[in-house]
Amino acid sequence: MAWQEIDAVLSPILGRGGVAALYKRSLYLTGLAHPWLSNLHRGEQTDMGLAELESVFGQQSSADAAGAGGALLQTFNGLLASMVGPALTEQLLRPVWNHLLSGPSAQDEPQ
């Protein structure tokens, strides 16, 4: 899951709480257009709560999940870029985006 990779890349720099706060803000902003995400950003959050994210995405149609997922990633990327700059954001998250864009590898394919 891309969010696990994002957490792994950014936690050493921002701390787990910092990544969770950025993620929580991204959920809030994305939830304005996708209300089914709005409950995920509430309350104290010291980690990203990815199990809850996976659960609510699993309850949506493929099109809704894809649209909201893309919007959430884009919002997170934009917020991070506003904090540390676009160049550093791209450098930090390039491995995540490369992995996402390359799709599953041959070893990930079901046999």
Side-chain angles (χ1 to χ4, degrees):
M1 175 182 258
W3 289 107
Q4 292 168 328
E5 292 180 52
I6 290 170
D7 189 33
V9 167
L10 295 179
S11 286
I13 299 161
L14 302 176
R16 291 191 69 87
V19 176
L22 192 59
Y23 170 74
K24 186 174 177 178
R25 179 69 177 155
S26 299
L27 279 171
Y28 170 77
L29 293 172
T30 307
L32 297 173
H34 304 276
W36 50 270
L37 287 174
S38 62
N39 286 333
L40 293 176
H41 72 82
R42 299 179 197 263
E44 285 299 312
Q45 196 167 344
T46 57
D47 67 1
M48 293 176 72
L50 297 177
E52 294 86 359
L53 180 69
E54 192 171 355
S55 176
V56 297
F57 269 81
Q59 297 169 19
Q60 307 307 312
S61 70
S62 295
D64 286 345
L72 184 58
L73 285 169
Q74 188 172 22
T75 300
F76 185 91
N77 191 73
L79 289 174
L80 182 61
S82 73
M83 290 175 46
V84 301
L88 183 55
T89 297
E90 199 241 313
Q91 180 182 352
L92 291 170
L93 295 181
R94 183 179 304 129
V96 177
W97 303 147
N98 287 343
H99 184 248
L100 270 177
L101 295 174
S102 69
S105 67
Q107 69 186 26
D108 293 337
E109 295 284 328
Q111 301 294 322

